[in-house]
Amino acid sequence: MTMDAAPPFTASITQQIAQQIRDIHPGPPLEAGWLDPRLGALLLLTLTLLLIAALAWLGRRLWRYWEWRQALAAPPASDRRLWLGQLHDRLRQEGLRRWPASRSLQGAEWLAWLDSQGPTDFQRWQHHWDEWLYGHRQPSHAQCQALHADYLRLGRQLLLGRLVHPRGTP
């Protein structure tokens, strides 16, 4: 008996085995989808969570800067000494909150230190600062506007940082 002529029962067994094997699916070929769908879903979930975290971080910084802007309104035409006192208090509060070591600084040292923290020029007012706060003089409206601009620049530097000046330029 030759191998070419297999007995009929062998052919029926081969057909039965082929029927059983047909239920086992090998999956898609590798070129059709190289990434496991579960891994793709995990990657998508991770990217979504990172995006949400980045947006929350950015939103918090923008919200804090908005609060910084709202904490001190633009200088009024009258009673500028009261406004300057509010500016001084706001700068002191933020300074103590961020840098407890700044507690001992006063006068020209305080203003110079503030200027070292951001792109401001508070130090140019050192000759008038004490007279405005504790004396009977009050700053002009133009001086108050310049102080307010420095206040806003300091807030942008502290709260937004590299979002505003990515290359470190003022």
Side-chain angles (χ1 to χ4, degrees):
M1 188 164 164
T2 64
M3 293 294 272
D4 293 337
F9 69 89
T10 309
S12 66
I13 292 176
T14 308
Q15 287 176 352
Q16 288 175 355
I17 291 174
Q19 285 278 342
Q20 292 173 355
I21 293 178
R22 198 173 312 160
D23 291 340
I24 300 172
H25 300 286
L30 286 179
E31 63 272 355
W34 61 272
L35 188 62
D36 184 2
R38 294 171 297 190
L39 185 59
L42 183 63
L43 182 62
L44 183 63
L45 178 66
T46 303
L47 289 175
T48 302
L49 291 176
L50 285 174
L51 180 65
I52 289 171
L55 288 175
W57 175 80
L58 178 64
R60 184 171 186 263
R61 288 186 79 152
L62 290 173
W63 179 261
R64 289 193 58 220
Y65 180 64
W66 181 81
E67 285 178 334
W68 175 271
R69 288 183 64 108
Q70 298 303 315
L72 187 69
S78 62
D79 203 8
R80 291 183 294 265
R81 282 186 60 218
L82 177 65
W83 179 86
L84 185 69
Q86 292 171 345
L87 169 74
H88 181 73
D89 291 343
R90 180 74 179 130
L91 290 172
R92 262 303 167 188
Q93 288 170 0
E94 189 65 25
L96 292 176
R97 188 179 73 74
R98 285 181 174 273
W99 308 283
S102 70
R103 180 180 307 274
S104 63
L105 299 175
Q106 293 186 10
E109 290 176 343
W110 164 248
L111 297 174
W113 187 81
L114 275 176
D115 288 344
S116 71
Q117 301 307 311
T120 60
D121 194 14
F122 286 112
Q123 199 170 11
R124 69 180 163 169
W125 310 109
Q126 69 181 350
H127 302 297
H128 305 291
W129 197 262
D130 289 336
E131 293 174 2
W132 289 341
L133 286 176
Y134 310 114
H136 297 291
R137 294 187 59 203
Q138 68 175 351
S140 69
H141 189 67
Q143 290 169 330
C144 283
Q145 287 178 329
L147 285 165
H148 190 253
D150 278 342
Y151 169 79
L152 293 178
R153 272 194 301 277
L154 182 64
R156 276 193 304 270
Q157 178 66 33
L158 296 179
L159 302 171
L160 299 179
R162 294 195 179 270
L163 297 176
V164 177
H165 308 293
R167 294 189 185 105
T169 58

